[in-house]
Amino acid sequence: MSEVGTLMTILNHLQSRMGKGTKVPFHAIANLMRNVGYAITFDEFMSLYNQNDQVQKMISGTPSENEITIGQSVADVQGDGEEAGDAKVDQMAQKAAQNINQPA
């Protein structure tokens, strides 16, 4: 597996275990990469990040040497994409559920 593929696998694993929007220390990601045979510095990570749209989609905000945020929350998704649409439907359903118990 390539370095980018390995990084994506690690990011996917962290997201599935910890949830979207989780802040992870960069040194933890570097340690996981080293455990599978890829020594990676923050500069190398940023190079992979800047060159790969899939890696960018897995990270919210701007990565720092201290930590990165795994997964994009719905608030991070721009436009009227499917995730934003799902959030709107959830919001409408919650409002409807609240209104069901209100007197008419």
Side-chain angles (χ1 to χ4, degrees), residues 2-104:
S2 70
E3 188 174 30
V4 171
T6 301
L7 178 61
M8 287 297 299
T9 300
I10 288 170
L11 294 175
N12 278 318
H13 175 73
L14 290 171
Q15 180 177 309
S16 70
R17 299 284 278 166
M18 301 163 89
K20 291 182 178 182
T22 300
K23 295 183 184 297
V24 178
F26 175 74
H27 71 83
I29 293 170
N31 286 341
L32 290 169
M33 289 289 287
R34 187 174 36 254
N35 288 344
V36 293
Y38 293 103
I40 188 169
T41 65
F42 182 72
D43 290 335
E44 292 168 335
F45 169 80
M46 286 306 295
S47 178
L48 293 174
Y49 173 83
N50 290 326
Q51 295 173 9
N52 191 293
D53 291 341
Q54 295 301 321
V55 174
Q56 291 175 18
K57 289 178 183 178
M58 290 296 303
I59 296 172
S60 178
T62 304
S64 76
E65 289 187 56
N66 295 324
E67 68 185 12
I68 65 169
T69 304
I70 303 294
Q72 294 184 341
S73 66
V74 173
D76 294 327
V77 176
Q78 300 295 322
D80 292 328
E82 185 176 320
E83 289 183 37
D86 289 347
K88 184 68 174 172
V89 170
D90 288 346
Q91 182 183 24
M92 291 173 14
Q94 288 174 351
K95 186 163 180 83
Q98 291 171 352
N99 291 336
I100 287 174
N101 294 324
Q102 300 297 322

